[in-house]
Amino acid sequence: MSAHPTSGLDEVVHQRHRLGILTIAVESKRVEFGYLRTTLNLTAGNLSRHIAVLEEAGLITVEKGYEGKRPRTWISITPRGRDALAEEIAALSAIVDSLGSRDRT
Amino acid sequence: MSAHPTSGLDEVVHQRHRLGILTIAVESKRVEFGYLRTTLNLTAGNLSRHIAVLEEAGLITVEKGYEGKRPRTWISITPRGRDALAEEIAALSAIVDSLGSRDRT
């Protein structure tokens, strides 16, 4: 019996805020901390915690710098992050398709 | 700026094992604890904890009984559970579609 699609999900990626961070980061070369914070409607502390988990897992890199005189933090997805997100999306598609194809009367 | 699809996710439903429980339960009138445990590859303790969270949130009901002399536990999804799962699947579809439509070179 093949494993259920949810058993293959990686909690590091699947957790909803981390999934949000990765789905935004994959869209561009790098993304700025403040943009992530407002788009995902998170506190700076909460966002920092999730970024630390993703960085620890090697799925993103974190770059610190300045824009003019203002300190800035950017994150970029890594190749491993792209692969992990692709696996997550494949599993989510399988879940969505399995429910979509069912005739829900 | 519309909220990111992941911000609408409900952690009670989105957590991968609970999502697994609901996607199986929605397929039938009721589903037996042992079947869930093997299909989702969970320990009885872990499964019980997630069932308690879903029951507490009113997304499933739990029924205890016997099959012959053997004690059995069945869970059934509630109308609120069906709605919550439908919202989760809609959000997951939006995430999958948004990444699918992107030209990922």
Side-chain angles (χ1 to χ4, degrees):
Chain A
M1 185 173 55
S2 72
H4 191 271
T6 56
S7 332
L9 292 171
D10 174 354
E11 201 54 33
V12 169
V13 176
H14 182 70
Q15 197 279 344
R16 61 194 171 115
H17 300 315
R18 293 195 289 268
L19 181 57
I21 293 165
L22 291 173
T23 49
I24 293 169
V26 78
E27 305 267 10
S28 45
K29 223 168 146 310
R30 67 177 187 172
V31 60
E32 201 265 326
F33 185 94
Y35 175 78
L36 278 173
R37 198 172 53 74
T38 36
T39 306
L40 295 174
N41 196 20
L42 295 173
T43 64
N46 202 2
L47 178 56
S48 298
R49 268 189 301 279
H50 289 300
I51 283 176
V53 170
L54 291 170
E55 188 182 23
E56 170 76 26
L59 305 185
I60 60 168
T61 52
V62 178
E63 183 195 343
K64 303 240 182 211
Y66 286 84
E67 232 166 32
K69 289 201 174 112
R70 294 188 177 188
R72 284 285 181 266
T73 300
W74 292 273
I75 70 140
S76 303
I77 196 166
T78 61
R80 191 193 305 180
R82 282 180 192 280
D83 292 345
L85 182 60
E87 277 174 40
E88 165 83 9
I89 297 302
L92 297 186
S93 303
I95 293 166
V96 169
D97 293 347
S98 73
L99 289 176
S101 61
R102 218 176 44 79
D103 168 29
R104 297 214 282 149
T105 44
Chain B
M1 187 173 57
S2 71
H4 191 272
T6 57
S7 331
L9 292 172
D10 173 355
E11 201 53 32
V12 170
V13 176
H14 183 71
Q15 198 279 345
R16 62 195 169 115
H17 299 315
R18 293 195 289 266
L19 181 57
I21 294 165
L22 290 173
T23 49
I24 294 170
V26 78
E27 305 266 10
S28 45
K29 224 167 146 308
R30 66 178 186 171
V31 60
E32 201 265 327
F33 186 93
Y35 175 78
L36 278 174
R37 199 172 54 73
T38 37
T39 307
L40 296 173
N41 196 22
L42 295 173
T43 64
N46 203 1
L47 178 56
S48 299
R49 268 189 301 278
H50 289 301
I51 284 176
V53 171
L54 291 171
E55 187 181 23
E56 170 78 25
L59 304 186
I60 60 168
T61 52
V62 178
E63 182 195 343
K64 304 244 180 203
Y66 287 85
E67 233 166 29
K69 288 202 174 98
R70 293 188 173 185
R72 284 284 181 268
T73 300
W74 293 272
I75 71 142
S76 303
I77 196 165
T78 62
R80 194 196 302 182
R82 282 181 190 281
D83 292 346
L85 182 60
E87 277 175 41
E88 165 83 7
I89 297 302
L92 297 186
S93 302
I95 292 165
V96 169
D97 292 347
S98 75
L99 288 176
S101 62
R102 218 176 42 83
D103 167 31
R104 297 214 282 149
T105 43

